Amino acid sequence: QTAINTGKLNSFRKLLNTSFKTCNCLCMRNSSDVNKRFVSFDEAVAQRRAEARRSFVVQVNSEASFNELYGYCSKYASINGVHHYKNSVGEHFMLVEFASEDNLKEVIRSCSVHQKDIDVMALQSPFVWFRAVNDKKGAIVPNATLSCINGTEEVDEDVLFEQLINCNSVSEQIQTLYDKTALNDLGVRLRYMVARQLETVFESMYANVAVRPFGSSVNGFGKMGCDLDLVLTNVVTDEMSDPSKRLIFQEKKCEGGRSPWQRHMELVAETLELRVPGATRVHRILHARVPIVKFAHYFTDMECDLCYNNVSGVYMSELLWMYGTLDPRVRPLTFVVRRWAQTVGLTNIHPGRWITNFPLTLMVLFFLQQKTKDGSILPSFKTLFQKAGKEDIRIAEENLNCTFLRDLNKLPAETYGQSDASLEALLLQFFEFYAQFDFEDKAISIIEGIPVRKPNNLALYIVNPLEQALNVSRNVSFEECERLKLEVRNAAWQLDAGYDREKSDDWGLVALLEKKAARSLKRLLKVGNSQRLVSVKDLFNEDEENEKNGKSKTKLT
Ligand code: CTP
Ligand code: MG
């Protein structure tokens, strides 16, 4: 942080590259990787999937159950680590990671079912609970410690803003926002656990099945509590369909006229309802371009979207993840932009005619591809495509070419990170760039890294880098695009006007990110104006009401 504040970005970069922070980077290097600067997405994902295959989640009475649970499990297997968290209703869970997958199998074999009951129907899954007993003989004092740093709880807003107020610069505020709100290691582990749980259920129904997280859970731009996008695949490999083999499985043809995968997704939804402990509120959205089944996962407090065979979504996550690892400023900057868009009401949790986090992220990447006098911070997608080798060829569903360079260690150093601009300077430049952008005639395309002609007159045009004919912001209305233009101008003006820290706590990001109504309320609380407080509270409620209805909000002063 100090390095960033003083503009010594290279020393900061070195510092970051040598720190093996596992949360969003998902990177853990082993001795053979010491000379490698970048870990690939596939390596990071393989490590997370392997971790999930040797872990399970145990519901316990409280944190105090740790010694007892550790003692009990270590009778069967050796334990790598235990992570504690609470769900939103205050129930306690421990994610236990064993030394190997066989270790976990051993422990699973020792588990029992709860009751002999036709309503329940026994099943095995990596989500279990720990029965309380009076005789605590099994409890031992483990030689490992319980990891429970904040579990999966989102940082308290008041605490966060207090920390932002106490920072020394806007750059430090941006970094703090990222550090305090990014999805942590346990958040990532649990997302892979849910994927693994589904995989174990579907394994018996489909050959070579895999359930993988994609989107913000794995692309490095996820915040604590983000939704979990999952894709189910059952790829038939060349080996599986080897024509020299003479014994071939009898197969079941899907009949009935409708798209086979719509029918299979119905079965998947039924299975979630009947056979997946923790899966609740299952909704089928099967007529969309990408049919999905939505559900909530009770044990982990996650909102999940499961789709079939959308492999391009995974490759898109890989691409975003790679851009995020190339330069340590990319993720913090994207976080602050996403957070600002949420504060001013440009994004909304409900789907609609407004921009969402994914196209916003592309806008940040596009801005970072712009050439300055020092060069650019990120390379164009075209560069990544041109540098791709045979090993990078990937063809997704519907023959979509998702080929691009995967090993960033092969990327020439002069194609990225060519500016020492601080995060504060970049944020201001981001707003200024879009305040002047010609949205009427130009499209945003990270393929070229420069504005290109819009092929139609939709309000906002952001090219999908993996499917060039598609606009990822085609849903955005003219009204919403106008609001976007207005808000970037406001933000540029606000940041450019500077601040006087002596006079007010609302400086830098605090002024930019804290909801105006909440700020007014706090200010009144400070001066103790109890009479006016009642009416301001009402205004605050109205603000929340507006938010639910998706209307423009936080216009209160
Ligand atoms: N995606 C895509 N094309 C789109 C929309 C989404 O390829 N038009 C892919 C992207 O990989 C995206 C993922 O689907 O990251 C999930 O979409 P979404 O949940 O909308 O975005 P997230 O990046 O997950 O962000 P959020 O935290 O808001 O869920
Ligand atoms: Mg998502």
Side-chain angles (χ1 to χ4, degrees):
Q1 285 170 13
T2 317
I4 267 203
N5 296 336
T6 52
K8 289 178 197 146
L9 214 91
N10 283 331
S11 43
F12 177 68
R13 216 174 279 149
K14 266 183 225 141
L15 207 114
L16 251 156
N17 284 325
T18 47
S19 86
F20 304 134
K21 206 176 158 194
T22 53
C23 56
N24 271 311
C25 312
L26 293 164
C27 61
M28 209 178 264
R29 299 169 192 205
N30 59 37
S31 53
S32 63
D33 292 334
V34 282
N35 294 324
K36 272 182 27 178
R37 185 166 173 203
F38 298 108
V39 173
S40 79
F41 181 76
D42 281 348
E43 286 168 325
V45 168
Q47 183 220 313
R48 285 301 191 185
R49 280 171 64 80
E51 219 168 63
R53 291 180 84 96
R54 53 175 187 261
S55 306
F56 73 170
V57 177
V58 190
Q59 186 168 4
V60 291
N61 213 14
S62 71
E63 283 117 306
S65 313
F66 172 56
N67 287 3
E68 230 180 303
L69 177 69
Y70 193 99
Y72 189 85
C73 290
S74 46
K75 280 194 296 196
Y76 299 94
S78 90
I79 296 171
N80 269 4
V82 184
H83 309 255
H84 166 260
Y85 72 94
K86 279 193 280 184
N87 68 359
S88 58
V89 290
E91 291 163 337
H92 294 259
F93 296 86
M94 290 191 189
L95 185 154
V96 185
E97 185 198 343
F98 295 97
S100 71
E101 204 180 328
D102 283 344
N103 275 180
L104 174 70
K105 282 186 189 149
E106 205 56 44
V107 181
I108 291 282
R109 264 196 289 277
S110 79
C111 295
S112 78
V113 295
H114 182 207
Q115 50 193 315
K116 287 183 187 161
D117 188 341
I118 187 79
D119 286 344
V120 176
M121 294 260 195
L123 67 77
Q124 289 191 352
S125 125
F127 284 82
V128 302
W129 62 276
F130 192 41
R131 201 196 308 260
V133 289
N134 290 329
D135 171 17
K136 311 269 182 201
K137 264 191 285 178
I140 56 164
V141 179
N143 49 13
T145 50
L146 180 65
S147 143
C148 61
I149 323 146
N150 290 337
T152 53
E153 269 171 49
E154 287 172 51
V155 62
D156 178 84
E157 290 287 283
D158 286 341
V159 173
L160 175 67
F161 278 96
E162 201 57 45
Q163 285 168 340
L164 294 181
I165 289 168
N166 292 329
C167 285
N168 290 315
S169 68
V170 175
S171 294
E172 194 183 321
Q173 286 184 321
I174 299 172
Q175 191 64 43
T176 302
L177 178 79
Y178 171 68
D179 292 341
K180 301 290 170 193
T181 59
L183 193 58
N184 65 9
D185 174 59
L186 182 54
V188 178
R189 280 176 188 267
L190 286 173
R191 280 163 172 76
Y192 277 88
M193 281 310 298
V194 173
R196 178 67 194 139
Q197 183 193 20
L198 300 195
E199 220 170 60
T200 56
V201 174
F202 297 127
E203 256 164 8
S204 62
M205 286 156 57
Y206 300 101
N208 198 26
V209 81
V211 178
R212 290 164 202 277
F214 70 105
S216 57
S217 296
V218 297
N219 67 16
F221 297 102
K223 58 173 188 153
M224 293 295 286
C226 68
D227 70 358
L228 171 58
D229 302 292
L230 293 165
V231 57
L232 172 82
T233 55
N234 66 329
V235 181
V236 176
T237 60
D238 289 345
E239 197 195 339
M240 283 164 73
S241 58
D242 183 349
S244 68
K245 289 180 181 163
R246 289 198 52 204
L247 294 172
I248 301 154
F249 294 109
Q250 297 282 4
E251 275 157 357
K252 178 92 190 169
K253 197 168 173 194
C254 184
E255 284 161 350
R258 270 181 305 157
S259 138
W261 267 101
Q262 258 178 22
R263 289 202 62 195
H264 284 288
M265 287 303 275
E266 272 165 21
L267 175 62
V268 163
E270 279 294 296
T271 311
L272 282 166
E273 275 171 342
L274 273 174
R275 305 303 295 148
V276 178
T280 60
R281 293 191 270 120
V282 179
H283 291 288
R284 298 145 175 88
I285 306 172
L286 304 178
H287 297 285
R289 192 176 72 90
V290 180
I292 55 168
V293 176
K294 280 181 159 312
F295 66 98
H297 197 273
Y298 177 81
F299 301 137
T300 55
D301 271 339
M302 281 174 211
E303 296 295 328
C304 311
D305 285 356
L306 175 65
C307 61
Y308 169 69
N309 208 24
N310 179 25
V311 188
S312 61
V314 180
Y315 293 142
M316 183 71 82
S317 307
E318 180 173 22
L319 182 65
L320 297 197
W321 186 86
M322 285 169 53
Y323 274 123
T325 53
L326 261 182
D327 188 286
R329 293 165 291 184
V330 179
R331 286 173 180 154
L333 190 66
T334 309
F335 263 62
V336 72
V337 169
R338 282 177 165 212
R339 176 74 185 226
W340 157 82
Q342 183 195 352
T343 307
V344 297
L346 285 173
T347 50
N348 190 302
I349 47 167
H350 306 292
R353 293 178 64 72
W354 33 81
I355 195 162
T356 62
N357 280 331
F358 171 59
L360 259 180
T361 307
L362 294 182
M363 284 176 70
V364 178
L365 301 182
F366 180 70
F367 158 71
L368 292 172
Q369 290 173 331
Q370 303 310 301
K371 283 218 161 48
T372 63
K373 62 175 173 29
D374 301 319
S376 54
I377 292 177
L378 291 179
S380 66
F381 177 77
K382 209 162 72 182
T383 308
L384 296 181
F385 182 76
Q386 283 161 354
K387 300 279 172 209
K390 266 197 200 133
E391 64 288 0
D392 298 314
I393 296 174
R394 305 281 190 284
I395 306 295
E397 70 279 359
E398 289 167 16
N399 255 340
L400 213 61
N401 189 353
C402 297
T403 301
F404 52 86
L405 176 75
R406 263 51 192 200
D407 183 359
L408 290 174
N409 299 298
K410 294 181 184 161
L411 194 65
E414 65 278 9
T415 57
Y416 64 95
Q418 296 301 301
S419 139
D420 270 359
S422 68
L423 282 169
E424 176 173 1
L426 288 176
L427 184 62
L428 175 60
Q429 285 163 20
F430 170 86
F431 290 127
E432 286 173 344
F433 176 76
Y434 284 109
Q436 288 163 18
F437 191 82
D438 179 6
F439 287 97
E440 240 106 275
D441 291 327
K442 298 290 186 207
I444 291 160
S445 167
I446 70 160
I447 301 176
E448 312 288 339
I450 50 167
V452 293
R453 258 187 92 81
K454 247 164 91 166
N456 58 32
N457 60 359
L458 283 171
L460 181 62
Y461 204 106
I462 304 177
V463 178
N464 182 331
L466 299 182
E467 220 171 340
Q468 297 189 25
L470 292 187
N471 171 9
V472 302
S473 55
R474 64 189 171 284
N475 63 310
V476 176
S477 66
F478 277 93
E479 196 195 7
E480 285 299 317
C481 188
E482 284 307 309
R483 280 197 338 105
L484 172 70
K485 290 187 218 167
L486 181 77
E487 293 295 353
V488 288
R489 264 183 260 136
N490 280 347
W493 177 82
Q494 202 174 341
L495 276 181
D496 200 30
Y499 44 82
D500 185 348
R501 290 192 57 184
E502 300 304 313
K503 285 201 184 132
S504 162
D505 277 348
D506 293 352
W507 69 279
L509 284 204
V510 182
L512 198 69
L513 299 185
E514 202 175 24
K515 293 204 172 174
K516 291 189 185 103
R519 252 190 296 148
S520 312
L521 185 64
K522 267 195 209 149
R523 219 173 278 141
L524 279 168
L525 277 169
K526 262 191 184 166
V527 293
N529 189 340
S530 56
Q531 215 176 359
R532 283 210 44 214
L533 197 61
V534 178
S535 59
V536 173
K537 256 189 180 161
D538 290 344
L539 289 176
F540 193 41
N541 287 340
E542 190 190 316
D543 198 46
E544 278 177 358
E545 200 53 40
N546 279 340
E547 191 164 339
K548 273 190 213 138
N549 297 334
K551 288 188 197 151
S552 126
K553 48 202 94 106
T554 63
K555 294 296 171 211
L556 309 173
T557 53

